[in-house]
């Protein structure tokens, strides 16, 4: 509602609702961010990779919007309307990196995929350790945030996962992320 008067309007339109939703979900536009033509092209290819995979993976969340306008900490993003298919989400997260590899080659993949890799790894780890979505690990909760106790300035963590199980978890997480590519 505050956007309308700033734009010289007397009433709120769908444009103001859409812009407000984008700001909340994707972060504020960084209008001061100046991107070179090369950065714009690379970002466009990266985000196109996310969008193409999202549009073609069965049961994935529907693509709502793709942008290369810098918002928050991201140079661009693809926004999807959420559903519950986690495997599709892994593939879509890795789609940007794959698009960069295909267009620019392995030697020219940027750090832009770092956030995607981090999100994919977190999702895969939750799939394996929390939701029991790994046949070799089974339906056991191996979440890492259990057993943490605050003692002064130290965090003491009691591990209830054997070295062998930990190795299996890492293998399963890696397999899920790589298969998502």
């Amino acid at each position: 509602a505050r956007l309308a008067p700033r734009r010289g309007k007397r009433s709120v339109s769908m444009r103001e609702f859409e812009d407000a939703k984008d700001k909340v979900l994707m972060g504020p536009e960084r209008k001061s961010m100046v991107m070179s033509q090369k950065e714009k092209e690379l970002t466009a290819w990266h985000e196109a990779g996310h969008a193409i995979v999202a549009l073609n993976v069965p049961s994935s969340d529907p693509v709502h919007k793709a942008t290369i306008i810098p918002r928050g900490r991201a140079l661009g993003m693809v926004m999807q309307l959420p559903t519950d298919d986690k495997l599709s989400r892994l593939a879509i997260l890795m789609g940007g990196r794959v698009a960069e590899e295909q267009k620019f080659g392995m030697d020219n993949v940027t750090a832009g995929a770092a956030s995607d890799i981090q999100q994919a790894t977190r999702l895969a780890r939750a799939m394996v350790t929390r939701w029991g979505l790994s046949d070799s690990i089974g339906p056991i909760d191996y979440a890492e945030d259990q057993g943490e106790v605050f003692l002064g300035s130290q965090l003491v963590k009691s591990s209830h996962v054997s070295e062998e199980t930990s190795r299996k978890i890492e293998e399963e997480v890696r397999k899920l992320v790589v298969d998502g590519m």
Side-chain angles (χ1 to χ4, degrees), residues 38-53:
K38 183 178 179 180
E39 287 173 314
K40 288 178 186 176
E41 182 181 0
L42 203 139
T43 302
W45 275 94
H46 183 96
E47 298 309 326
H50 288 303
I52 289 167
V53 173

Side-chain angles (χ1 to χ4, degrees), residues 147-157:
E148 292 181 353
V149 180
F150 184 77
L151 297 174
S153 63
Q154 239 179 335
L155 257 175
V156 176
K157 190 173 188 175

Side-chain angles (χ1 to χ4, degrees), residues 161-168:
V161 180
S162 71
E163 195 173 312
E164 179 184 347
T165 301
S166 182
R167 191 170 40 320
K168 280 184 183 178

Side-chain angles (χ1 to χ4, degrees), residues 116-150:
D116 301 328
I117 292 168
Q118 184 181 44
Q119 288 179 55
T121 303
R122 271 197 219 126
L123 177 57
R125 188 171 309 286
M127 290 167 70
V128 172
T129 63
R130 292 178 191 265
W131 306 327
L133 299 178
S134 165
D135 291 337
S136 68
I137 301 300
I140 307 297
D141 185 351
Y142 288 110
E144 293 178 5
D145 62 354
Q146 293 180 356
E148 292 181 353
V149 180
F150 184 77

Side-chain angles (χ1 to χ4, degrees), residues 7 35 46 50-51 53 76 97 108 114 124 160 167 174 177:
R7 295 175 175 171
M35 291 172 65
H46 183 96
H50 288 303
V53 173
R97 179 188 169 100
N108 296 309
H160 59 283
R167 191 170 40 320
R174 184 180 191 290
V177 172

Side-chain angles (χ1 to χ4, degrees), residues 9-166:
K9 294 182 176 182
R10 296 178 61 96
S11 62
V12 178
S13 69
M14 283 308 294
R15 177 71 184 171
E16 283 73 38
F17 283 115
E18 185 71 21
D19 290 347
K21 177 187 58 99
D22 287 352
K23 184 176 181 179
V24 169
L25 295 176
M26 298 189 296
E29 281 187 38
R30 290 190 305 177
K31 294 177 183 177
S32 62
M33 171 83 174
V34 179
M35 291 172 65
S36 70
Q37 188 59 36
K38 183 178 179 180
E39 287 173 314
K40 288 178 186 176
E41 182 181 0
L42 203 139
T43 302
W45 275 94
H46 183 96
E47 298 309 326
H50 288 303
I52 289 167
V53 173
L55 291 169
N56 289 288
V57 171
S59 304
S60 74
D61 298 342
V63 173
H64 175 67
K65 182 180 283 191
T67 181
I68 65 166
I69 296 171
R71 290 183 165 275
R73 293 178 12 200
L75 294 179
M77 64 181 44
V78 171
M79 185 174 27
Q80 294 175 265
L81 302 174
T83 62
D84 269 348
D85 187 355
K86 306 300 182 211
L87 289 172
S88 294
R89 183 73 187 135
L90 278 176
I92 294 158
L93 282 166
M94 300 310 292
R97 179 188 169 100
V98 171
E100 287 186 30
E101 288 175 9
Q102 294 296 310
K103 174 65 177 171
F104 303 105
M106 281 292 285
D107 294 339
N108 296 309
V109 172
T110 68
S115 173
D116 301 328
I117 292 168
Q118 184 181 44
Q119 288 179 55
T121 303
R122 271 197 219 126
L123 177 57
R125 188 171 309 286
M127 290 167 70
V128 172
T129 63
R130 292 178 191 265
W131 306 327
L133 299 178
S134 165
D135 291 337
S136 68
I137 301 300
I140 307 297
D141 185 351
Y142 288 110
E144 293 178 5
D145 62 354
Q146 293 180 356
E148 292 181 353
V149 180
F150 184 77
L151 297 174
S153 63
Q154 239 179 335
L155 257 175
V156 176
K157 190 173 188 175
S158 66
S159 179
H160 59 283
V161 180
S162 71
E163 195 173 312
E164 179 184 347
T165 301
S166 182

